Amino acid sequence: MTQYLIRRLLIAIPSLLGISVVLFTVLALAPGDPFEELATNPAIPPDVRANLRASLGLDDPVHQRYLNWLFAMLRGEWGYSFVSRVNVDQLILQRLPTTIIVIGAAQLLALAVALPVGVYAATRPYSLFDKIANTLAFVGFSLPTFFTGLLLILLFSITLDWLPFVYRAQIDATGWRWWWEHIRQSIMPVLVLGLFQGAALVRFVRSAVLDVIRLDHVTTARAKGLPESTVTLKHVVRNAMIPVVTLVALQMPIVFGGAIVTEQIFRIPGIGSLLITAILANDTPVIMAVTFVFACLVILFNLIADVLYGWLDPRISYR
Amino acid sequence: MNEDDLRGLIGRVKNGSLSRRGFVRRLAAVGLTAPMATQILAIAGAAPAGAQSVPAYRPTRRGGGGALKVLYWQASTLLNPHFASGTTNQDSSRVFYEPLAGWASDGTLVPILAAEIPSRENGGLAEDGRSVTWKLKRGVKWHDGQDFSADDVVFNWEYARSPGVAAVTSGSYRDVNVLKVDDHTVRVEFQQPTPFWADAFVGGTGQIIPRHLFKDFAGPNARDAPTNLRPVGTSAYKFVSFAPGDTLRAENFANYHMDNRPYFDTLEIKGGGDAVSAARAVLQTGDYDYAWNMQVEDEILKRLEAANRGKVNIVEGGGIEFVQLNATDPNREVDGERSHISTQHPAFRDPAVRQAMALLIDRNALEQFIYGRGGPATANFLNNPPRFRSENMRFEFSIQKANEILDAAGWVRARDGIRAKDGVRLRFVYQTSVNAPRQRTQAIYKQAAQRAGIDLELKSVTASVFFSSDVANPDTYTKLYADMQMYTTTMPQADPERFMNQYVSWEVSTKANNWQGRNIVRWRSEEYDRIFRESQGELDPIKRAAMFVRMNDLVVGSNHIIPLVRRPTVSASLNNLRHVLSAWDLTMWYLNDWYRET
């Protein structure tokens, strides 16, 4: 097991290096610099822009810039944002809690909806409930989050005036009021993300349960005269969860990506909106760092999924 | 009316034998506009004592106004004015830091950290135009309780011009010399007589940071200063917290140097999102008090305004959307350089073609159907302040006239309908940055040009490429490897010197200067150069205004520049918010006077 983990981690290093080379080259080839706004401002002489470029090392050859970045990274220095001149790790850490809370809540919501609905639908295949659940699931994951987000804003903020559509990370209140305000402003983004995720999961849970429900050990359990609820919970769901857990783990990095759009709509100061603004401003160090974090997440969650898989299903061994 | 007459009249206004109204009427009789006449009076020192560039402030005590909530769809990322590469960052720095003086919306200076605006009369401006002496306001405190003094001002000059710091503001400071006269007096010295003396320490680039907190970070370590993110300034609001790219919070500063200010107890600037939803949060739901830079179609703004909670503020400045007709040939390489200054554009060198091009764009339609209140049509490149506005230019949209001119000049339609002469076809590449109103303008232009036998090939470049300083990229606007291009240029100061230097011959953008010259259209005129040089040393404001009017007429009259629409700044605010806005300075330039009417 330990050996397997070490081997997997060692394999991850060249993958990460490869990812970083590709990312860096693409960013270096992409034109532009972070000083676009200085361009048409006649109060700022153009050579000031040139000096700025030079001072940030933007005029060095690509390979040299990459090596500088890599060695800094190895020393644990993530570099600093050209635009805000703040260390990148600081920027990311500042935003991580918000992202994790919103995404975490959305993921919990997705599971809370998908598990019961999926299981219930699978135990009564082709019933009316199953048909409705399936239709809604299809609708749910066909609608993009930016559309449902705007729809919710129009309904709950503009028409009904119930919920705020500007997310504020800091709220001047204490105790219950603080909690209430945070929950109130999180309702819409969490609904948008959670239902989108949940819709896809419903389909997955349903098919996983359907696979298990016809297996021999379930029939045996039923034959022993166990109540239907016990059969479903103990014998069916537990087994069906193996692929579901893997899927959820593998989906985590994708969820971070999916949140970019939602964060932009609701002005949530999360990692996603950091990435968007950095891309718009050509802020290479931030883009590198955030995408690199995403890459690490993908690799990490892949590893976790593999480990979980083997642990849940003894037929798969670590080799 | 010649200059002596004008001077005589101004003298009579000053000694009271001629009323201001009479003066304006006489000037109107000789073709000068009323705003120009009043501005001439103002700059000649004959403005009435009661003239206010800034609206009256009513609250009678400090604080008690609750929270002011401002929305910027572009979030600010840093709080050091010397590093601020965009207006959002300059604005959020301006919440804490103050310059010596700011620009009011009528283009006059308003003292902030200065005790008074320097003038000939008070001895602030030297007779020879080589120096300006600023008297500083006494009793000004930094937010941490230290005294503000001349040392701080001198330090800012050293800081901004230091190459190690790489400050964005260095352009305003590197060519001047700053001396401390005494603790509350500072002298700025120029290398030559300088009529535009109000650059260093004024407006957005003039914000003054405290010496005692930055003096150890005035070199390559400038980035490490903790105060870059936790500013300590002299303004009405002091720092509470900042999350780069998200929220900036500030609170009332009890020792502020202006009486009864500020009105609000706290201030929050939230960033991010998009312009339409920002407009919505102010105009429709009233969640926020003010939203910055409404780059939203006017139709939508009007619809949102119908909710009657807030209004759209339109502040006239010098921003202008215009078309450039390349004076050089973009399709021929000389010494490995396209659009080389030794070449001439094969078609645009004919004035008839340029005139036709100017006749083929329907500016009224642009105003009516695309820009709305955010883009009034104009015939001038230099539109504001009114004292610099030419009355001589006219614009017209006439396809028929364009056709006649081209016919007369010998440009004959070929079988495919495109005109040609001596093997030169009227087929132009027309580039601009990706942006919905610009693409619609391109389409309108193309359609009209087609009917005059001119084919426009439309090209749109993503803004981050178009406006980048990347020397390796062929699509930047400074290279102008196309026949024509269109963009907006802004005029951040109320003086047109920096604005109009984009047509002098020594600013031509070439490979030799890494395409950093500001004359991108590469138009050259000896007369323009001469007048510009004279204006740089001309200390008489009236003569100088006339020179800039002439420069505008020269470049617009040549039709190498086709002004389309002015771009005033557009913002949204709640009906009961009283703010002081100016297009010549930052949004937050007079934040100390913002209040809410109850």
Side-chain angles (χ1 to χ4, degrees):
Chain A
M1 172 78 184
T2 325
Q3 229 184 351
Y4 172 78
L5 270 181
I6 292 171
R7 201 166 62 231
R8 282 294 304 263
L9 284 174
L10 285 179
I11 293 172
I13 291 174
S15 328
L16 281 175
L17 266 182
I19 291 170
S20 74
V21 171
V22 171
L23 272 175
F24 205 95
T25 324
V26 169
L27 285 177
L29 291 180
D33 58 31
F35 317 112
E36 193 189 313
E37 256 200 87
L38 299 181
T40 51
N41 182 346
I44 293 159
D47 49 317
V48 170
R49 288 172 76 199
N51 289 345
L52 280 172
R53 273 185 75 91
S55 76
L56 296 178
L58 284 173
D59 290 332
D60 297 338
V62 181
H63 62 270
Q64 194 186 328
R65 282 164 59 194
Y66 175 72
L67 289 178
N68 288 347
W69 176 84
L70 185 66
F71 287 124
M73 209 61 176
L74 289 178
R75 282 197 308 269
E77 289 164 23
W78 291 54
Y80 66 92
S81 155
F82 292 159
V83 175
S84 65
R85 312 217 182 186
V86 178
N87 286 332
V88 174
D89 43 355
Q90 220 175 312
L91 277 179
I92 292 180
L93 284 180
Q94 206 162 38
R95 283 153 176 269
L96 211 54
T98 315
T99 304
I100 288 178
I101 289 170
V102 172
I103 288 180
Q107 199 66 296
L108 286 181
L109 175 71
L111 287 173
V113 170
L115 287 181
V117 172
V119 171
Y120 193 77
T123 48
R124 285 156 191 77
Y126 308 110
S127 65
L128 183 64
F129 179 86
D130 186 30
K131 281 176 185 154
I132 293 175
N134 267 322
T135 314
L136 287 181
F138 272 120
V139 171
F141 66 75
S142 323
L143 290 178
T145 50
F146 67 82
F147 179 76
T148 43
L150 286 180
L151 215 61
L152 288 188
I153 287 180
L154 280 178
L155 181 65
F156 290 112
S157 297
I158 311 283
T159 314
L160 297 172
D161 205 10
W162 288 353
L163 301 171
F165 66 95
V166 176
Y167 188 100
R168 298 167 65 215
Q170 291 150 316
I171 283 171
D172 304 305
T174 45
W176 286 110
R177 226 187 119 60
W178 187 88
W179 281 100
W180 170 235
E181 287 286 320
H182 264 291
I183 290 171
R184 222 161 71 92
Q185 67 180 359
S186 309
I187 291 176
M188 283 197 290
V190 168
L191 269 183
V192 167
L193 267 181
L195 292 183
F196 183 72
Q197 284 296 317
L201 267 181
V202 165
R203 296 281 306 161
F204 197 80
V205 171
R206 180 181 175 273
S207 70
V209 170
L210 271 181
D211 277 349
V212 178
I213 217 161
R214 295 195 196 102
L215 292 182
D216 292 345
H217 75 273
V218 180
T219 320
T220 315
R222 250 191 221 119
K224 281 197 294 185
L226 289 174
E228 191 60 31
S229 58
T230 319
V231 174
T232 312
L233 286 178
K234 286 208 164 155
H235 297 264
V236 177
V237 173
R238 208 180 140 192
N239 280 284
M241 277 314 98
I242 297 170
V244 174
V245 165
T246 326
L247 182 81
V248 171
L250 287 181
Q251 255 188 348
M252 277 314 282
I254 306 169
V255 177
F256 273 91
I260 291 178
V261 178
T262 318
E263 284 180 5
Q264 196 67 9
I265 296 173
F266 295 100
R267 295 184 162 81
I268 301 170
I271 307 269
S273 66
L274 178 68
L275 181 63
I276 287 266
T277 43
I279 290 174
L280 289 178
N282 281 306
D283 197 350
T284 324
V286 179
I287 307 175
M288 275 309 286
V290 175
T291 41
F292 202 67
V293 166
F294 281 168
C296 290
L297 282 177
V298 171
I299 287 176
L300 179 73
F301 279 105
N302 256 308
L303 185 60
I304 292 177
D306 281 353
V307 172
L308 275 180
Y309 215 71
W311 176 64
L312 285 167
D313 191 341
R315 281 171 297 178
I316 298 159
S317 56
Y318 306 111
R319 251 180 308 193
Chain B
M1 184 178 298
N2 64 29
E3 199 199 321
D4 286 340
D5 296 341
L6 197 57
R7 229 159 265 289
L9 284 181
I10 291 173
R12 283 176 59 197
V13 175
K14 274 186 179 169
N15 66 31
S17 65
L18 176 68
S19 73
R20 287 168 51 79
R21 189 176 292 172
F23 175 83
V24 172
R25 208 177 301 128
R26 274 176 210 220
L27 255 67
V30 294
L32 290 172
T33 57
M36 187 165 181
T38 40
Q39 292 255 331
I40 284 177
L41 280 183
I43 54 179
Q52 288 283 334
S53 331
V54 174
Y57 179 73
R58 300 207 189 282
T60 48
R61 69 186 181 92
R62 175 166 294 162
L68 173 64
K69 290 167 83 183
V70 177
L71 208 49
Y72 269 59
W73 51 267
Q74 242 176 46
S76 65
T77 48
L78 60 80
L79 298 174
N80 182 337
H82 294 292
F83 290 156
S85 61
T87 41
T88 43
N89 285 330
Q90 285 188 318
D91 271 339
S92 24
S93 308
R94 185 63 186 76
V95 170
F96 308 103
Y97 297 117
E98 298 183 306
L100 296 185
W103 293 104
S105 88
D106 61 357
T108 53
L109 283 174
V110 174
I112 293 170
L113 286 177
E116 60 186 10
I117 296 300
S119 67
R120 286 285 167 76
E121 288 70 31
N122 64 24
L125 295 183
E127 285 296 326
D128 62 359
R130 283 174 182 272
S131 71
V132 53
T133 309
W134 290 94
K135 290 212 164 56
L136 308 184
K137 197 166 179 176
R138 280 159 202 268
V140 175
K141 298 252 184 237
W142 293 102
H143 293 158
D144 61 0
Q146 302 256 6
D147 287 318
F148 163 76
S149 81
D151 291 320
D152 291 308
V153 180
V154 175
F155 170 74
N156 272 264
W157 165 67
E158 286 164 352
Y159 183 88
R161 70 202 290 266
S162 156
V165 174
V168 172
T169 49
S170 62
S172 299
Y173 295 95
R174 61 187 171 182
D175 298 329
V176 298
N177 187 35
V178 177
L179 276 178
K180 172 183 173 181
V181 178
D182 62 47
D183 273 353
H184 291 96
T185 316
V186 163
R187 190 162 70 232
V188 182
E189 295 174 343
F190 309 105
Q191 288 159 2
Q192 64 271 329
T194 303
F196 177 49
W197 46 266
D199 184 16
F201 310 121
V202 174
T205 52
Q207 301 175 45
I208 290 167
I209 58 174
R211 177 177 177 274
H212 63 276
L213 294 174
F214 279 96
K215 64 173 188 282
D216 298 328
F217 299 96
N221 62 347
R223 198 183 64 79
D224 303 326
T227 357
N228 283 343
L229 291 171
R230 305 186 57 84
V232 173
T234 54
S235 76
Y237 293 93
K238 69 177 186 199
F239 180 80
V240 174
S241 71
F242 178 51
D246 180 31
T247 314
L248 171 65
R249 285 144 69 92
E251 64 183 15
N252 193 311
F253 175 43
N255 285 325
Y256 186 54
H257 57 82
M258 291 193 202
D259 292 337
N260 302 333
R261 294 165 173 90
Y263 170 80
F264 295 100
D265 299 312
T266 59
L267 164 72
E268 178 187 305
I269 301 179
K270 166 82 185 172
D274 61 299
V276 179
S277 73
R280 201 160 254 159
V282 173
L283 299 174
Q284 203 171 32
T285 65
D287 287 343
Y288 279 77
D289 292 291
Y290 180 90
W292 160 88
N293 195 5
M294 294 288 86
Q295 285 186 7
V296 179
E297 276 179 60
D298 206 23
E299 288 300 310
I300 298 177
L301 288 178
K302 279 185 177 151
R303 226 166 37 224
L304 293 177
E305 267 183 312
N308 232 350
R309 276 193 162 140
K311 59 180 187 297
V312 168
N313 312 297
I314 295 180
V315 184
E316 275 282 354
I320 181 158
E321 177 87 20
F322 70 119
V323 172
Q324 301 177 331
L325 304 184
N326 197 346
T328 56
D329 189 349
N331 299 317
R332 217 170 82 207
E333 269 191 29
V334 176
D335 301 333
E337 183 183 353
R338 288 165 69 182
S339 293
H340 192 272
I341 191 61
S342 69
T343 61
Q344 271 193 321
H345 195 281
F348 291 147
R349 70 175 167 202
D350 182 350
V353 177
R354 301 199 303 264
Q355 203 187 341
M357 289 306 293
L359 285 166
L360 288 171
I361 178 76
D362 188 353
R363 288 171 240 209
N364 288 326
L366 299 186
E367 173 180 343
Q368 205 178 338
F369 299 113
I370 299 182
Y371 289 98
R373 291 169 292 175
T378 182
N380 286 315
F381 182 71
L382 176 56
N383 287 287
N384 275 315
R387 63 176 176 272
F388 298 110
R389 189 185 302 154
S390 167
E391 289 293 304
N392 312 320
M393 295 292 116
R394 296 277 177 278
F395 68 83
E396 189 187 350
F397 169 61
S398 168
I399 296 174
Q400 190 200 342
K401 217 167 171 182
N403 269 317
E404 286 166 8
I405 290 170
L406 291 172
D407 284 336
W411 293 90
V412 190
R413 278 180 201 256
R415 211 172 299 152
D416 58 358
I418 298 173
R419 289 174 187 272
K421 180 180 164 184
D422 308 329
V424 178
R425 280 159 58 84
L426 296 188
R427 193 161 190 291
F428 306 128
V429 175
Y430 173 19
Q431 70 178 15
T432 188
S433 73
V434 177
N435 163 315
R438 286 198 182 124
Q439 262 69 72
R440 286 171 70 189
T441 306
Q442 275 187 321
I444 288 178
Y445 210 157
K446 183 184 168 83
Q447 218 166 31
Q450 216 152 26
R451 291 170 59 194
I454 298 172
D455 185 33
L456 298 184
E457 185 191 322
L458 305 184
K459 177 176 170 187
S460 33
V461 185
T462 169
S464 60
V465 174
F466 195 62
F467 294 118
S468 89
S469 52
D470 188 353
V471 175
N473 201 297
D475 288 328
T476 61
Y477 80 120
T478 53
K479 282 194 170 162
L480 183 49
Y481 285 174
D483 298 295
M484 45 200 286
Q485 68 180 358
M486 172 171 73
Y487 61 92
T488 287
T489 185
T490 52
M491 180 176 165
Q493 293 142 323
D495 187 277
E497 184 171 320
R498 288 268 175 80
F499 188 64
M500 294 304 276
N501 90 338
Q502 51 188 301
Y503 302 111
V504 297
S505 60
W506 57 90
E507 279 288 341
V508 167
S509 166
T510 63
K511 192 178 174 184
N513 58 27
N514 270 336
W515 294 279
Q516 280 171 22
R518 297 203 50 236
N519 185 347
I520 291 160
V521 68
R522 300 172 183 119
W523 172 80
R524 285 174 299 172
S525 150
E526 275 174 27
E527 188 185 356
Y528 191 99
D529 288 355
R530 181 175 52 76
I531 301 176
F532 185 86
R533 279 220 169 87
E534 281 173 20
S535 80
Q536 280 183 305
E538 180 56 66
L539 298 174
D540 182 339
I542 297 158
K543 268 194 192 166
R544 195 155 169 274
M547 287 172 172
F548 281 109
V549 168
R550 178 71 190 141
M551 281 185 248
N552 171 77
D553 293 356
L554 278 173
V555 66
V556 175
S558 83
N559 289 322
H560 271 292
I561 292 298
I562 305 172
L564 302 179
V565 292
R566 304 199 294 270
R567 299 305 312 276
T569 61
V570 180
S571 58
S573 60
L574 289 187
N575 282 330
N576 59 5
L577 182 73
R578 295 285 165 270
H579 41 51
V580 188
L581 300 175
S582 165
W584 307 113
D585 212 321
L586 302 170
T587 303
M588 301 294 165
W589 85 283
Y590 223 62
L591 183 64
N592 42 284
D593 268 26
W594 288 28
Y595 67 97
R596 203 193 305 278
E597 215 148 67
T598 42

